[in-house]
Amino acid sequence: MSPSTDDIAKFISIASEANEGTALRFLERAESVDDAISRYYEAQNEPNPTARTMHATDAGADTRPPPYARSATSGSAYHHTNIFTGAASIRSKDEQDMKAALHSIQQACVIFNSDIEPEHTTQFYNCDCDVHKYKDRKAVRLPVQELWSKAVIYPGESAYHDSHSSALIMKNPYSRVPSPFPPTTPGTFNRAKPTPSGYNQYLQKTIQLNTSLNAAAQAAIDAKEPASTIWNIDDPESSVSNEADATASSDTQRAAAEGLTHQNNASRPLTESSKPSAFGSLKRILSKKPSEQKAEKAVIHSKELRVAILEEEQGRWPNLEWRQLVTAYQEAIRISQKIADLRARQPIQYLHLLRAGYFEPIPEAWVKLTSSPLKLSIDAFGGWRGVTPSWRGYKDLAEERLYWAMNNIEGIVGNKTKPDVISAMSMARSRMDTATGVPTEYFSRDDICNVQPNFRVYSKQVMSPFRAGGVPANPSDETMILLEVSKSMDSAPLRPNYNEHLVTDIAQAIIRRFTQAMINHDHGTRGYQFVTFADQGRYVGLINHQNFEQIWSNIKFRGEAQLMSGWQRAKELHFQKHSGTAIHHPMYGWQAGPETPILRLLIILDGEAADMNEFHLDLLGLSWVYATIFLMGADRCPQHHRLANELQRISNTNPRISFLDAQGNIAERFITHELLKRHLGYNVSFSDFETLEQATVDLPSYVE
């Protein structure tokens, strides 16, 4: 049957747990509404390998997220797969190995720009060196790149790569970009070194191409979107021109019915009258006007697109509780309206982003993978595509998705597009020049920088104004401290006048002052959960004024900064303690309930973590977490201010993230005061701060 709006409404009114897509699918296969409902409940009673793992809500529940209660998962987890997840899984197998190989060769060739691949002065001559071995590995990986391109490419676009082993390199639009390396000299086979002027030209041309190609790709796919809605519930084929042969429909239906009878009884031959007439079909096709043929193709495409979207939605979100969780996620990020507009007006792009998981929380399994889909690199020069039409210029899928969300958050004025490399460094220098002196009332002889013989004055700081975001802290909120312990934290800043202290000394002093003030604020001595992160997240224990030195002595500094490892450890600790107020979803992990206490994080780091974008992306959808990020850096370092600008940009779009940075010789009392404001969510006065920072010698020791 061809279901109408009333048919679907009647189906859903009886089978209340079904959605529009399910209703449409069963109605199209049935002879009546009653027949469709009977088929639906027969399917429900059959053994289902994708059985629910979460408790069902009451029949009378409304469309809001259900009340939360402790819920243990049962059975195997539900996993939906599609062309994107399949290609991402195959690509992830050697993604990290390729990154490590490139980084190793760059280091050997003394190249510190991550976007430059080393070359020989005779790049077309294949020798047995590491550079050409890497290029051979890229060539072997071309089938994987082809599979990936098919999964993420938009209609009308062409795939390309930068491997000389295939003719597809001729389609690479970036082949016109000038090389950062000097011209080759015939007969020499030494490793080439990029020149500053060559790299500058390379950057400028790449940025120009990124901008123009992104704009052209977005315009092209916008033009390919259906001119009219695909969500007309009536059968789209009914909108084809009325000039079509009316008898063709009945003839086709009669032939189809007889053909179905033949399938059920194969021994019975088709009658002569039931055999489809090739001449008649050709005649009907030729009799249609070009405009009618074009309209019919558009209708067929719209119907196929609608079915693909409904099937993908049903596959991703198999039950009502699942859909409610996804809806809550979209509302927390404030992108519900954008998603609805895409689904209604730009269904091609909606389906593309839907398959890549843009509209739902990050799966818990992705966080634990060494190379998850979010970690996959984007390389415009090499043809490794992103997910959105404007993918060029991002470093990986996590950054691309983060900026897509930031640009589509409701109520945020202005474009949050990621600046190009040249603009980012220019903005960093501008920010650096706005630094001013610290107020004199924050001077302290106990500051770490005062141990230096040549100390004269505190470094100027960029005075980021305090902005109250979210709700102020209340007594039920819980504080946790996350500290980066990568090897860079245990080294001297790369600037002069740091002869007597390390970055870790500053971090230790700030944490000591912060915990002391918070203990006074909370009127307790128990202390705060302390997590360190580098290659792995590690729970050190509760840290307070009594055990501070003992706890600190157990910290080891090594490895690279992986913020998600610390964040996942913090999340586990929080829900181990409050599991009775939350549920554990088989796909998305722990979900806080109305009674789950707010978690307030203080995160201290000295540079950019490799998975910083994944962390911010995860926090966008969590209403139960408030994070204050403190970034330490060397005095007047452009890279420090580039990262500070990026973190501030992210903070401006997420009211639950606060940001503060400091450079050089730090006035520790000033930083502690500013951190307390952001952590507690209100403007702590200077007199209140002086009270909070007093020593806690009058408080009793905490005993487990």
Side-chain angles (χ1 to χ4, degrees), residues 395-507:
K395 67 178 183 180
D396 54 34
L397 298 193
E399 184 178 62
E400 181 190 26
R401 178 172 167 179
L402 174 64
Y403 274 90
W404 180 89
M406 288 168 56
N407 280 311
N408 291 292
I409 290 176
E410 300 165 20
I412 300 297
V413 179
N415 189 13
K416 302 300 178 185
T417 304
K418 177 190 175 183
D420 59 70
V421 177
I422 296 176
S423 299
M425 294 308 295
S426 177
M427 295 163 61
R429 294 187 180 93
S430 297
R431 183 184 191 275
M432 189 165 58
D433 292 338
T434 64
T436 59
V438 177
T440 57
E441 60 263 31
Y442 288 103
F443 176 82
S444 173
R445 296 185 183 278
D446 298 329
D447 286 343
I448 293 295
C449 60
N450 278 323
V451 304
Q452 296 182 112
N454 54 1
F455 172 74
R456 294 183 180 87
V457 67
Y458 291 122
S459 298
K460 293 182 178 180
Q461 305 295 338
V462 176
M463 302 295 181
S464 302
F466 167 68
R467 172 180 57 86
V471 296
N474 64 62
S476 65
D477 295 355
E478 299 198 352
T479 290
M480 193 179 299
I481 300 171
L482 272 65
L483 173 68
E484 177 192 341
V485 292
S486 66
K487 57 187 178 183
S488 66
M489 286 286 289
D490 202 29
S491 59
L494 299 179
R495 288 282 166 179
N497 302 328
Y498 294 92
N499 298 327
E500 301 295 334
H501 71 278
L502 305 175
V503 178
T504 48
D505 297 328
I506 303 173

Side-chain angles (χ1 to χ4, degrees), residues 306-600:
R306 181 180 70 177
V307 171
I309 289 175
L310 293 175
E311 289 181 348
E312 181 68 21
E313 289 175 338
Q314 182 65 25
R316 303 194 75 88
W317 313 318
N319 56 50
L320 177 62
E321 203 163 358
W322 207 297
R323 292 190 295 275
Q324 288 176 331
L325 189 152
V326 171
T327 299
Y329 170 80
Q330 296 172 3
E331 291 174 349
I333 298 183
R334 293 168 292 157
I335 56 173
S336 301
Q337 187 58 52
K338 175 62 179 180
I339 294 173
D341 289 343
L342 281 173
R343 193 175 189 273
R345 299 179 177 88
Q346 297 174 305
I348 296 177
Q349 295 171 68
Y350 174 83
L351 177 60
H352 217 71
L353 300 178
L354 176 68
R355 285 172 173 163
Y358 268 50
F359 309 143
E360 61 196 56
I362 299 174
E364 186 178 38
W366 287 15
V367 178
K368 299 177 181 178
L369 293 175
T370 304
S371 183
S372 75
L374 291 175
K375 291 183 172 70
L376 297 178
S377 299
I378 292 177
D379 179 11
F381 211 101
W384 290 96
R385 315 175 76 88
V387 175
T388 65
S390 303
W391 53 271
R392 301 156 190 86
Y394 295 109
K395 67 178 183 180
D396 54 34
L397 298 193
E399 184 178 62
E400 181 190 26
R401 178 172 167 179
L402 174 64
Y403 274 90
W404 180 89
M406 288 168 56
N407 280 311
N408 291 292
I409 290 176
E410 300 165 20
I412 300 297
V413 179
N415 189 13
K416 302 300 178 185
T417 304
K418 177 190 175 183
D420 59 70
V421 177
I422 296 176
S423 299
M425 294 308 295
S426 177
M427 295 163 61
R429 294 187 180 93
S430 297
R431 183 184 191 275
M432 189 165 58
D433 292 338
T434 64
T436 59
V438 177
T440 57
E441 60 263 31
Y442 288 103
F443 176 82
S444 173
R445 296 185 183 278
D446 298 329
D447 286 343
I448 293 295
C449 60
N450 278 323
V451 304
Q452 296 182 112
N454 54 1
F455 172 74
R456 294 183 180 87
V457 67
Y458 291 122
S459 298
K460 293 182 178 180
Q461 305 295 338
V462 176
M463 302 295 181
S464 302
F466 167 68
R467 172 180 57 86
V471 296
N474 64 62
S476 65
D477 295 355
E478 299 198 352
T479 290
M480 193 179 299
I481 300 171
L482 272 65
L483 173 68
E484 177 192 341
V485 292
S486 66
K487 57 187 178 183
S488 66
M489 286 286 289
D490 202 29
S491 59
L494 299 179
R495 288 282 166 179
N497 302 328
Y498 294 92
N499 298 327
E500 301 295 334
H501 71 278
L502 305 175
V503 178
T504 48
D505 297 328
I506 303 173
Q508 180 181 11
I510 294 298
I511 292 175
R512 187 195 300 273
R513 291 178 181 272
F514 176 84
T515 54
Q516 181 170 286
M518 284 300 300
I519 285 174
N520 283 335
H521 175 273
D522 295 339
H523 304 291
T525 59
R526 185 172 183 269
Y528 304 99
Q529 290 181 311
F530 187 32
V531 174
T532 61
F533 65 91
D535 294 330
Q536 295 180 339
R538 176 172 174 258
Y539 176 49
V540 183
L542 291 170
I543 190 168
N544 55 52
H545 64 289
Q546 295 288 336
N547 67 358
F548 192 94
E549 295 298 336
Q550 177 186 354
I551 290 289
W552 196 266
S553 65
N554 293 326
I555 299 175
K556 306 298 181 183
F557 294 86
R558 62 171 69 92
E560 303 297 329
Q562 300 286 340
L563 179 54
M564 285 298 284
S565 66
W567 164 230
Q568 287 305 305
R569 191 70 187 97
K571 191 186 296 187
E572 290 169 1
L573 289 169
H574 193 62
F575 285 110
Q576 285 172 5
K577 185 177 180 181
H578 302 290
S579 60
T581 68
I583 59 172
H584 188 273
H585 191 274
M587 178 69 74
Y588 308 123
W590 283 107
Q591 305 295 314
E595 303 302 320
T596 305
I598 294 293
L599 176 62
R600 293 186 178 267

Side-chain angles (χ1 to χ4, degrees), residues 254-265:
R254 183 170 60 253
E258 293 188 17
L260 181 60
T261 303
H262 174 71
Q263 290 178 11
N264 294 331
N265 188 5

